[in-house]
Amino acid sequence: MHRSAENEFYAVEEKEREPLKLYVYSCGSGLLGRFILCFRKYSSRHPKQLSYPKSFTVISNSNIPFRESSFDTLFNPTSTAPPFFQIFDPAFLTILGPYPSIREVASNSTFAFAHEAPVYVPDTNEVFFASYPGDPLGTSDLDHNNIVGKINLTDVDTALVADNSGVVNVPITFLNLPETIQMTNGGTGPYNSSLLLVTFGRGSLPPSIALVNPKAPNNVTILLDNFFGRQFNSLNDITVHPNGKLFFTDVAYGFLSHFRPDPMLPNQVYQFDPGTGTVQVVATDFDKCNGIAFTADGNTAYIADTGALGGFLGNDQTDPATIYAFDVDPRTNMFRNRRVFTYVDAGIPDGIQVDTEGNVYSGCGDGVQVWNDEGTLLGKFFLGMTSANMVFAADGRLVILAETKIFVADIAAKGIPPVSP
């Protein structure tokens, strides 16, 4: 047994996994320390904390305190310094691949510039995103719009080569969009070579679905801004079904953040056919529907319900922090057979992505959590801070938005290519 000077862990054995060679360290003493291991690959700066579920089924005899809040206290029983990969199932190692890394690539401690609406544009190798709408750290409110920005991943790669510390801060470029774009919160694409964005609206200015040219002068086309004459509450997230129709969530977070009027519609999920202009509800009876995603075949839909996040009403951890799964009716596209997919342990599940193997990713209160298609928690990209959304940027690269920071994880998993007409 020898000591690791870098992490103050004790090496208990060496294991060979093809093609992954790992040192295995205990992550502390006591009851949990005997079962929770930290994996560190030779060339990686980021530990992998392997937490077998049986190791924490009983903690009353350990030195780990019970958590009082899913928002204020995160589950990190070994107090490993983030970022790291927290592994609950060996299948997560396949997602990570043999040489995973996670690095901080942009930051601004005084500005939540990287909240949601992540869109990767391959032609320019850029990732677009929006600042936090209606939040003081996002510098937006009833009188001030939020901002859409972008980073160039070529700049990220150049910076990481020049500085191997794993922490860099690449330049952020902000777009000057017209007044028709108010409080951007969700996005996907490229869709017809454009960013497909949804907005909360602001004051009397309506929420909308919009196409935005990712290249200057970033001209805008509004596709939808009403439901038979009534404004939506605040459009939250959007995705494109394999059949080409647009699906989006509408929830009253603009009202709950003091920059939109009283809601006039239930919190619901809609489909929109841009060819015919038809818009209709496909799912309802949510507390606060939020993130949305489909499996690659379009047969299953995932909807996050973030009811526990209550805006000016306050957070209530007895309300939903749940992802629901639905069957998508092949004829009508209505969502059927609603069932619980997962309930998260940290904050709320926000934006959702699905990889090519059907694994489900969601931004949560501690980073990005990952489940298999049966809802089993496989692991986490543990950041120690909230991530609202993430996007796959080319094969094997996950860009994670964390409000005041952006992280890039290089892994083995691949995202489902976006649908475009």
Side-chain angles (χ1 to χ4, degrees):
M1 204 164 55
H2 69 275
R3 190 162 186 164
S4 162
E6 185 175 3
N7 290 300
E8 300 297 310
F9 297 145
Y10 286 96
V12 294
E13 60 180 314
E14 184 179 290
K15 288 187 177 180
E16 192 79 37
R17 293 176 184 261
E18 294 298 335
L20 187 67
K21 192 172 185 180
L22 303 168
Y23 277 125
V24 184
Y25 303 97
S26 68
C27 290
S29 58
L31 178 66
L32 285 178
R34 293 198 299 271
F35 296 99
I36 300 178
L37 304 176
C38 276
F39 279 45
R40 179 175 290 278
K41 185 175 60 58
Y42 292 144
S43 62
S44 175
R45 294 180 178 273
H46 306 288
K48 306 181 188 75
Q49 183 193 90
L50 178 58
S51 302
Y52 292 111
K54 286 189 67 175
S55 69
F56 50 83
T57 54
V58 178
I59 63 173
S60 55
N61 295 325
S62 74
N63 60 355
I64 305 299
F66 288 100
R67 298 166 61 200
E68 298 294 330
S69 170
S70 66
F71 287 94
D72 301 330
T73 308
L74 305 179
F75 187 70
N76 181 8
T78 63
S79 299
T80 303
F84 62 91
F85 304 109
Q86 194 174 45
I87 303 167
F88 294 93
D89 188 287
F92 196 48
L93 294 171
T94 302
I95 290 171
L96 296 178
Y99 305 109
S101 65
I102 182 168
R103 296 157 180 164
E104 179 185 317
V105 301
S107 65
N108 183 340
S109 62
T110 64
F111 181 33
F113 65 94
H115 178 60
E116 289 219 60
V119 182
Y120 173 62
V121 177
D123 288 351
T124 55
N125 202 25
E126 294 173 320
V127 174
F128 291 76
F129 42 83
S131 62
Y132 202 145
D135 184 83
L137 197 57
T139 65
S140 60
D141 54 29
L142 178 61
D143 300 315
H144 303 89
N145 198 5
N146 75 336
I147 303 174
V148 174
K150 65 179 182 178
I151 60 170
N152 190 297
L153 295 184
T154 302
D155 292 343
V156 168
D157 291 333
T158 300
L160 290 173
V161 169
D163 183 348
N164 64 3
S165 68
V167 177
V168 298
N169 197 1
V170 300
I172 302 166
T173 302
F174 294 107
L175 280 59
N176 183 20
L177 298 180
E179 285 293 297
T180 49
I181 300 294
Q182 292 291 330
M183 298 294 200
T184 302
N185 193 76
T188 189
Y191 181 86
N192 276 340
S193 301
S194 294
L195 311 178
L196 181 61
L197 304 180
V198 291
T199 70
F200 275 177
R202 182 168 61 90
S204 62
L205 299 173
S208 64
I209 301 176
L211 291 177
V212 177
N213 189 336
K215 299 178 181 179
N218 307 118
N219 47 297
V220 171
T221 301
I222 303 298
L223 300 181
L224 179 71
D225 69 359
N226 74 96
F227 182 74
F228 295 93
R230 279 186 290 173
Q231 290 190 13
F232 293 101
N233 299 325
S234 289
L235 302 192
N236 191 284
D237 204 359
I238 188 167
T239 192
V240 185
H241 190 271
N243 65 17
K245 292 184 179 180
L246 314 184
F247 289 73
F248 60 94
T249 57
D250 182 38
V251 61
Y253 273 128
F255 165 73
L256 293 171
S257 299
H258 297 295
F259 64 84
R260 282 284 293 154
D262 291 355
M264 293 188 289
L265 293 163
N267 296 328
Q268 300 180 126
V269 183
Y270 297 80
Q271 69 168 324
F272 173 60
D273 186 334
T276 65
T278 302
V279 57
Q280 62 186 125
V281 175
V282 296
T284 190
D285 297 328
F286 296 95
D287 190 324
K288 298 178 184 69
C289 49
N290 200 313
I292 181 170
F294 292 106
T295 52
D297 58 14
N299 293 335
T300 302
Y302 298 104
I303 301 291
D305 191 329
T306 55
L309 188 67
F312 69 74
L313 298 177
N315 297 335
D316 186 342
Q317 61 184 351
T318 66
D319 283 334
T322 307
I323 298 176
Y324 295 100
F326 300 81
D327 297 331
V328 181
D329 187 287
R331 185 177 65 86
T332 66
N333 297 318
M334 294 295 174
F335 290 5
R336 313 288 190 193
N337 188 25
R338 170 176 168 152
R339 65 266 188 196
V340 171
F341 175 73
T342 191
Y343 171 80
V344 307
D345 74 289
I348 47 92
D350 206 325
I352 305 173
Q353 299 287 341
V354 181
D355 71 21
T356 55
E357 300 303 312
N359 300 303
V360 179
Y361 302 61
S362 185
C364 299
D366 52 5
V368 173
Q369 301 190 14
V370 185
W371 303 264
N372 66 12
D373 58 6
E374 297 177 344
T376 299
L377 180 63
L378 303 181
K380 302 179 181 182
F381 298 82
F382 195 101
L383 306 180
M385 61 193 306
T386 296
S387 169
N389 219 323
M390 78 300 311
V391 65
F392 280 95
D395 290 344
R397 173 162 276 191
L398 188 69
V399 178
I400 302 172
L401 307 184
E403 308 300 356
T404 59
K405 296 182 179 183
I406 296 178
F407 294 84
V408 170
D410 289 312
I411 56 177
K414 302 176 181 179
I416 299 172
V419 178
S420 184

